[in-house]
Amino acid sequence: MRNKEQEIAWQKVIKACMEAVKNHFADIVQCIEFGAYIQPENYFVSYIFRTSAQLAAAQQSGLIEAINSYHREQLKQHHYPMQGIKDCCFASQEECDKKYGGNWYYYYK
């Protein structure tokens, strides 16, 4: 498979994984992804909670670990490269809005 074809295939895997996680966990309001699909080891997905309080509650309750586990399992089921299967990131829309005017690029930079 050519690199472009592989990149498109992996992009579909990431999109399917993010949708599955978002649909499975009602507290997630959006998903953000950064990196190059062709470099799975440098790629990451972030799941966003609406408020910092919701994020903190998720950390306390173990929800973060459950989401991480589900995220990794979705990637494995879709045959994503092993070097790219890692924990996802978490943030709150409230914090990004407050510190970076809602700009996720600067939030993660």
Side-chain angles (χ1 to χ4, degrees):
M1 192 179 294
R2 291 186 1 232
N3 280 350
K4 187 63 174 172
E5 292 169 343
Q6 187 63 69
E7 186 174 353
I8 291 168
W10 288 340
Q11 179 181 19
K12 289 178 182 177
V13 169
I14 292 290
K15 296 288 185 194
C17 176
M18 290 188 323
E19 277 303 307
V21 170
K22 190 174 173 188
N23 290 334
H24 192 78
F25 296 96
D27 292 341
I28 300 296
V29 293
Q30 73 176 2
C31 315
I32 296 172
E33 53 182 316
F34 286 103
Y37 293 108
I38 204 67
Q39 297 175 326
E41 64 279 1
N42 296 324
Y43 201 80
F44 76 94
V45 173
S46 182
Y47 295 104
I48 311 302
F49 290 83
R50 188 170 315 285
T51 67
S52 297
Q54 287 174 320
L55 176 58
Q59 289 167 329
Q60 292 282 19
S61 71
L63 180 59
I64 294 295
E65 289 83 12
I67 295 169
N68 257 325
S69 178
Y70 190 79
H71 168 84
R72 287 190 308 269
E73 188 57 39
Q74 290 299 308
L75 290 173
K76 288 176 190 172
Q77 286 179 9
H78 287 89
H79 308 289
Y80 197 67
M82 289 305 293
Q83 71 270 26
I85 297 177
K86 54 189 174 284
D87 287 348
C88 43
C89 301
F90 297 92
S92 75
Q93 184 67 52
E94 177 182 54
E95 182 179 359
C96 182
D97 290 345
K98 184 187 215 178
K99 293 183 178 178
Y100 299 97
N103 187 317
W104 287 104
Y105 172 80
Y106 289 115
Y107 181 89
Y108 282 110
K109 188 172 180 184

